[in-house]
Amino acid sequence: MNTLRHDWTKSEITRLFALPFNDLLFQAHSLHRQNFDPNQVQVSTLLSIKTGACPEDCAYCSQSARNETDIERERLLPLEEVIEKAKAARENGASRFCMGAAWRNPTDKNLDKVIEMVEAVNALGLETCLTLGMLTRAQTQRLKQAGLDYYNHNLDTSPEYYGDIITTRTYEDRLDTLEHVRDAGINVCCGGIVGMGEQEEDRVSLLQQLANLPQHPESVPINMLVQVEGTPLNGVEQLDPLEFVRTIAVARILMPESVVRLSAGRTEMSDEMQALCYFAGANSIFYGDKLLTTSNPDENQDKMLFDRLGINSADRSTQELDTAATA
Ligand code: SAM
Ligand code: DTB
Ligand code: SF4
């Protein structure tokens, strides 16, 4: 059992990034093996339940009303459609169904509808995750009561670079929502995006923020920016793929018991790069050919890569059996 730390300094994290690649990966992979089955990867499927026309100004996002992108706006999806999509995800082997909405925050009326979705998806035997923007304390309590398993709310980048990316909500707002989610007893899914033109020191600082939260998020999505035409970040210089792998490895070392998700951006990654990410400690992905508005590798491609690597996609029942067997 590792002693989890919440007092990482920037210079310690910078030193990890500066290690020779093989030393960094060895350290990350060793910790990964101590805490997880290295050949199991959790799979979640994403669905956008409300698309576009978002009042926020996130510079990376296809769904901001301020960005001229050609996505199709959609109102909140009907419950029946969500259930159909969740059933299809379950059939394809997903263990968790994540529903995202392009809101700054949900109204209480919106939340009534989303709660019906959470209950229906839970009833299918899937884990549930939501990402709806900021939440009040009372809203997180309602979601907990409804049986929500995870809430995704990302810090996105370092506090230092944040103002270059979003101006309509503060870093502090994000930390407040995360505290509400944590206090309600819902699992926290929180990570960020790299490849947004930030410096390495911003990646250091983002990971420091995540690792120094009072409790590590149970799930840490590391997204590679998906460049979308019409957004201010379209055309930004691409991140060196090995620097992305380093980011996964450092996340694994700082938060050894958290599930690290190799999140958006996989369509641009080679199989070899993804294999390195799994070795470095990534043990979750989004599965299915669509993220929220952009594409993701199709299921067959992922199945083939998992076969080549001898990776199993862990579903909830087998995870529970494993835990019971080792308890
Ligand atoms: N509107 C809610 C919010 O922002 O909290 C929930 C949905 S939002 C799309 C969820 C997360 O997706 C963002 O915080 C961001 O980290 C990630 N994301 C959005 N667009 C992305 C892109 N183009 N590339 C990579 N990640 C992206
Ligand atoms: C997260 O960290 N990544 C997901 C999920 N949480 C909601 C979203 C990725 C979105 C990629 C761009 C899009 O498809 O619009
Ligand atoms: Fe809106 Fe979320 Fe996109 Fe920001 S990331 S513009 S809050 S949908």
Side-chain angles (χ1 to χ4, degrees), residues 157-204:
T157 188
S158 66
E160 297 79 14
Y161 194 54
Y162 186 83
D164 289 24
I165 303 295
I166 300 143
T167 68
T168 49
R169 75 166 72 141
T170 66
Y171 216 76
E172 210 43 53
D173 288 332
R174 289 180 188 260
L175 292 169
D176 287 348
T177 292
L178 290 169
E179 190 182 302
H180 299 158
V181 174
R182 176 59 78 206
D183 290 350
I186 299 167
N187 290 310
V188 173
C189 173
C190 180
I193 312 176
V194 297
M196 296 199 293
E198 76 285 345
Q199 302 297 306
E200 186 176 274
E201 63 204 49
D202 295 302
R203 293 186 283 279
V204 166

Side-chain angles (χ1 to χ4, degrees), residues 50-67 100-105 131-134 153 156 166 168-169 174 193 292:
K50 186 267 167 187
T51 308
C54 182
E56 302 294 273
D57 69 352
C58 310
Y60 49 78
C61 188
S62 61
Q63 304 198 68
S64 166
R66 309 185 193 211
N67 298 336
W103 286 323
R104 172 177 166 80
N105 55 269
T131 180
L132 314 172
M134 296 185 286
H153 198 63
D156 279 355
I166 300 143
T168 49
R169 75 166 72 141
R174 289 180 188 260
I193 312 176
L292 290 172

